[in-house]
Amino acid sequence: MPRDRLAAIAGIYEFPRRIAGGLSALQIKALSAARALEDAGLGWQDVDALYDAGETGAGLTLTQYLGLHPRILDTTGVGGASFEFHAGHAARALAAGRARVALLTYGSTARSDARAIGTGGGRAPTAPATGMEVPFGLTLVGSYALVARRHMHQYGTRPEQLAEIAVTTRAHAMRNPEAVQGLHDIGIREVREITIDDVISARLIADPLRLYDCCIISDGGGAVVIVAPELARDLRQPPVWIVGAAEAVGYTENDNDITTTAARDCGPRAFAEAGVRPDEIDVAMIYDSFTITVLTILEDLGFCAKGEGGPFVEGGRLRFDRGRPALNTDGGGLSSNHPGMRGIFLLIEATRQLRGQSCSQVPGARLAIAHGNGGQLGTRHAAGTVVLAAGGT
Amino acid sequence: MSDEQRPLPPLTDPDTRAFWKATRAGRLIYQVCQRCGRLVFHPRLHCPYCGGLELETKESAGAGTVYSYTVIRQHGHPFFGARLPYVVALIDVDEGFRMLSEVVAPPEAVRVGQRVRLDWEDLGQVKIPVFRALD
Ligand SMILES: [Zn+2]
């Protein structure tokens, strides 16, 4: 059972629509902040620590826009994992008494802007390492495909096994009315559960990854309010405790194994701090940019041995109504929403589960993890693990 | 029709401009740290393993092995869109460094562990190092 309660998630809000309908990313952030503070029973000016991944500009943009004067401003921006980094940083700052109410927000109009996140290319390189890659036309999907191909080579992993992850997240999405509406709104022709056969017969995007191995692209956003331990008990919602957090990075080196992610580094540290084991986790919210992302991270977090992710996920075992852990019970990036950086939704759905408020509720869920992955798995990525425990735990 | 040419790497970047300049003479270069002896790629001012600032430039013989690969079948850029499908791979070059490149071969002929050999695509200002399958 968990040891230390660093801080508590006290308020959450997920922007419900997958097409923003004229709202800006900043407006989505502000609206979500207001609703999450309301959820917590806190006021706007109670916020004294602000965390921002920078998707709407440098941290000053958001601070002034919201009209806040935080004593902590943290603009860590490491792609989709930013929000797990933020939650960890906030938990430590609040546990140390440096602030009392932390606000994390996210807003994106990626779908409305018609941003081709996974297959676009053409963006000017910003670093020497990315400059070296420019002439070769590797897409973001392709970067993850390099990992999938190597994983198949090294461990005999099969496309049918990766497909299990897409099938499970779609089944969860179909139980989530906002996800179902979203799939309609972004133009998915047949909004229904999918089969392994659907996944392995869909068109290839970057071998061996096919259409359903890849996340959808939507608008979206949300907010999370994290409070110091002494505030947590008197608020509107039962507290969800942050009991462990750690972060790490990984990138291409001359002799590294790209099938092992930075989760191998930060996962064990987060579990050790929390004093819990992977097999005690009821709900695993794992960044599902692609099916291979989830498979490698399940292994690296210790839910199964390295290389055994394929057999581990077989037979629908990650569904909310089977054994633990249940995977991405909101429908995930594969089938609910992916506006570019979905790490905040991992924290939000994990909190719903530990409050007993999920559309695919795991009965009696007490422990959850949120594991974010940002960047491109095959070339450079950031990983953040947050371990969460239900109020009475 | 400049959009339909292969995108150029940044040719003035202080870390990597020597690499791209060497390609004009058909030379694939890498560095060896004089303090810790490890290979450095991509080229840099410093050694990322020990912080050493003395790096010796060496030339690869251009033989390597496919560490992993993918077949790109969708791309928004006009050049790559017209080139689909094509193979992008991580190549373990025999001297001991790993680089991203293209394997110029039919997608179904490429596999992990395949031996490949350096070839050049001449774009005038710069040559692009690509690899061809040997078996
Ligand atoms: Zn060195």
Side-chain angles (χ1 to χ4, degrees), chain A residues 119-120 128-129 131-137 139 142 145-146 149-150 153 203-207 253-254 256-258, chain B residues 6-8 39 42 49 67-71 73-77 80 86 88 96-98 100-102 112 128-129:
Chain A
T119 56
M132 293 292 287
E133 296 162 5
V134 165
F136 302 110
T139 57
L146 290 170
R149 173 60 67 199
R150 185 70 197 183
H153 173 78
R203 74 187 162 91
L204 286 159
I205 307 292
D207 304 22
E253 300 188 68
N254 287 337
N256 69 331
D257 177 354
I258 65 168
Chain B
R6 189 185 282 275
L8 294 178
L39 269 66
H42 62 86
Y49 304 103
Y67 173 75
S68 191
Y69 73 96
T70 180
V71 185
R73 296 183 189 269
Q74 185 176 330
H75 202 299
H77 186 283
F80 294 117
Y86 58 92
V88 179
F97 63 95
R98 182 175 291 166
L100 190 80
S101 185
E102 178 171 334
V112 174
I128 305 297

Side-chain angles (χ1 to χ4, degrees), chain A residues 176-189:
Chain A
N176 176 354
E178 289 172 8
V180 170
Q181 185 61 48
L183 290 169
H184 283 290
D185 291 347
I186 66 171
I188 303 288
R189 258 166 283 160

Side-chain angles (χ1 to χ4, degrees), chain B residues 33 35-37 47 49-52:
Chain B
C33 174
R35 188 200 279 178
C36 74
C47 167
Y49 304 103
C50 76

Side-chain angles (χ1 to χ4, degrees), chain B residues 32-38 40 46-52 54-55:
Chain B
V32 178
C33 174
Q34 297 304 289
R35 188 200 279 178
C36 74
R38 294 187 71 169
V40 177
H46 70 288
C47 167
Y49 304 103
C50 76
E54 287 182 39
L55 286 87

